[in-house]
Amino acid sequence: MADVLVLGAGMVGTSTALAFQAQGHSVALVDRKAPGQETSYGNAGVIQAEAAEPYALPRDLGTLFKYAIGQSNDVTWNLPGALSMAPALWTYFRNSAPKRHAAISQIYAQLTARATDDHAPLIQAAGAQNLISQEGMALLFRDANSFDAAAKQAEAACQRYGVTFRALDGTAYQAEEPALRIAPAGAIHWQQSWNCSDPGGLTAAYASLFQRQGGDVLVGDAETLAQRRAGWCMQTESGEIGANTVVIALGPWSPKVLRRFGYRIPMIYKRGYHGHYQSPVGLRRPFLDVDNGIVATSMKQGLRLLTGAQLVPQNAPADSRQLDRGREGISDFLEIGPRIEEPQWFGTRPCLPDMLPMVGAVAGHAGLWVNFGHGHQGFTLGPTTARLLADAHARGTDFGLNGLAPSDRLR
């Protein structure tokens, strides 16, 4: 018997287990795989302190038309995926209106502003400093007008949220990034982000810290979760385990589990792919090739290229065309060698239509708490929402950041 069961051993769930443990609870962390093996493994490894505004759905007809006809590499889709997510996409579109998005960003910015501070003690305690650099991240532009517009937007974000950046002409940026073969038109360097050379490894290091401090990491299927009079229980490979409190931190799988208890949660499932390639020169910092919708970053496994969003059903087979197009497009910037042989990885970003994670108690079921829906920023915000959740649990109430609690969002 534990005090708390945390379901999901990605960055969000592992951080949640640590946060409850820090408050003196006995905690069991349960997943069907080892910690850090799903979306937390395959992302860009950036703790994005600059990401004060969540990704909005574009509302201009030109961009949406490019998405519709497959002309943009930022977003691809298929009809079954678009139809299955249509209600959530419509709500997402409405919430992306400037006034509504600005209000959402005021909440979101309070989370990202503390992301590195919340990661820092865990990195130290886990002995994972060798995985972290503090070089920030960059956006590279091929068109001067696009760069000028982005520089103005960055200045506005700096004034509004206090995020810091440099706007550099392409020649100046190439001089400090040896891997670049040609100069872009310009670069926006966000300075406060931290980079991780092995995001799955960092999540696993946090889980090892949790175990060293007395926590249990178990293999089990969240579909076996059941409510009993005395609390909650589920089956694991080590036998049945129970607890008074259970936290659903299963990312894109959270709605499926919660549906068993009567809750229907609309979600936009943004699939992303990565591939590793041999490269003669490592990158100083990650960058986004804005025109080709592809991120490049140096990882322990090699040069990692990562795609934008693919709107497809969760059970759709792998389709690497978005990755292949991005690799071809970015190849003038970087010397990219042969692809490293490995199974084609993909993961799903769990995006809620209001662009905010769902964090707090589920009023209809005693002892049921949730921490999911972080969209593109689960790796960034895992420790932050974990601390908020554990603090709320300790007080027996939801916390002060309006907009995150499930009470007004679960139906």
Side-chain angles (χ1 to χ4, degrees):
M1 183 81 176
D3 296 330
V4 181
L5 283 177
V6 179
L7 305 189
M11 177 56 76
V12 174
T14 301
S15 298
T16 300
L18 282 164
F20 276 98
Q21 186 182 62
Q23 294 187 346
H25 294 285
S26 62
V27 185
L29 178 62
V30 187
D31 203 325
R32 61 185 180 182
K33 293 186 178 180
Q37 292 299 302
E38 292 284 1
T39 308
S40 293
Y41 165 78
N43 58 62
V46 184
I47 302 170
Q48 288 190 252
E50 95 294 340
E53 295 182 345
Y55 291 105
L57 186 66
R59 292 171 62 88
D60 63 284
L61 293 179
T63 300
L64 292 174
F65 183 70
K66 287 181 180 179
Y67 289 174
I69 65 174
Q71 196 175 66
S72 170
N73 204 41
D74 294 331
V75 177
T76 60
W77 59 283
N78 67 21
L79 186 59
L83 290 176
S84 66
M85 294 179 240
L89 286 168
W90 173 240
T91 306
Y92 182 21
F93 179 79
R94 293 171 60 199
N95 282 325
S96 297
K99 185 176 181 180
R100 178 60 183 150
H101 185 254
I104 291 168
S105 296
Q106 290 299 321
I107 301 169
Y108 201 80
Q110 296 178 63
L111 303 177
T112 56
R114 54 182 282 186
T116 54
D117 286 343
D118 288 333
H119 270 279
L122 300 182
I123 293 168
Q124 178 72 29
Q129 299 93 326
N130 63 310
L131 300 179
I132 304 298
S133 67
Q134 299 182 19
E135 286 285 344
M137 68 171 296
L139 281 63
L140 303 192
F141 296 85
R142 297 168 181 269
D143 175 74
N145 291 331
S146 297
F147 167 63
D148 290 341
K152 291 177 182 177
Q153 292 171 353
E155 181 59 38
C158 178
Q159 296 295 323
R160 191 175 297 123
Y161 308 113
V163 293
T164 61
F165 75 100
R166 297 185 301 152
L168 298 89
D169 68 72
T171 302
Y173 192 79
Q174 185 184 19
E176 63 181 58
E177 181 52 89
L180 280 181
R181 300 199 295 181
I182 62 172
I188 302 296
H189 172 208
W190 295 107
Q191 296 171 287
Q192 292 162 295
S193 295
W194 292 2
N195 311 309
C196 177
S197 61
D198 185 357
L202 183 64
T203 306
Y206 286 3
S208 294
L209 170 65
F210 169 71
Q211 287 179 293
R212 291 197 301 273
Q213 295 175 161
D216 292 321
V217 176
L218 304 173
V219 176
D221 185 348
E223 290 293 314
T224 67
L225 180 67
Q227 188 176 26
R228 300 275 176 84
R229 182 174 299 178
W232 297 85
C233 68
M234 67 175 297
Q235 297 296 322
T236 75
E237 290 187 356
S238 303
E240 184 176 282
I241 186 167
N244 294 322
T245 298
V246 62
V247 182
I248 306 297
L250 290 162
W253 295 279
S254 298
K256 182 180 179 183
V257 172
L258 287 166
R259 187 165 186 170
R260 296 177 54 238
F261 301 100
Y263 302 102
R264 294 179 180 272
I265 302 168
M267 179 174 281
I268 299 102
Y269 299 92
K270 295 184 180 180
R271 180 183 288 187
Y273 295 81
H274 80 215
H276 294 109
Y277 303 82
Q278 297 176 21
S279 180
V281 183
L283 289 169
R284 180 175 178 179
R285 64 178 65 93
F287 73 84
L288 167 65
D289 178 352
V290 173
D291 289 82
N292 287 296
I294 195 84
V295 172
T297 184
S298 290
M299 293 282 176
K300 280 189 168 183
Q301 301 98 320
L303 175 69
R304 179 179 286 185
L305 300 182
L306 305 103
T307 69
Q310 187 181 75
L311 304 179
V312 296
Q314 278 189 288
N315 61 356
D319 179 356
S320 65
R321 285 178 291 179
Q322 201 174 8
L323 178 62
D324 296 338
R325 279 200 311 196
R327 182 221 174 278
E328 182 179 354
I330 204 174
S331 61
D332 56 347
F333 274 157
L334 300 173
E335 183 177 349
I336 302 174
R339 185 167 180 181
I340 296 169
E341 290 190 17
E342 58 188 346
Q344 177 59 67
W345 181 89
F346 61 84
T348 301
R349 308 170 184 101
C351 301
L352 293 172
D354 62 6
M355 293 168 273
L356 293 171
M358 190 177 293
V359 186
V362 178
H365 287 78
L368 177 60
W369 294 67
V370 295
N371 190 6
F372 70 91
H374 295 67
H376 294 251
Q377 303 299 347
F379 188 75
T380 294
L381 295 177
T384 296
T385 59
R387 291 186 61 180
L388 288 170
L389 183 72
D391 288 346
H393 182 272
R395 294 195 303 270
T397 184
D398 282 327
F399 39 87
L401 271 181
N402 293 328
L404 302 189
S407 54
D408 296 326
R409 302 162 73 193
L410 284 179
R411 297 288 185 270

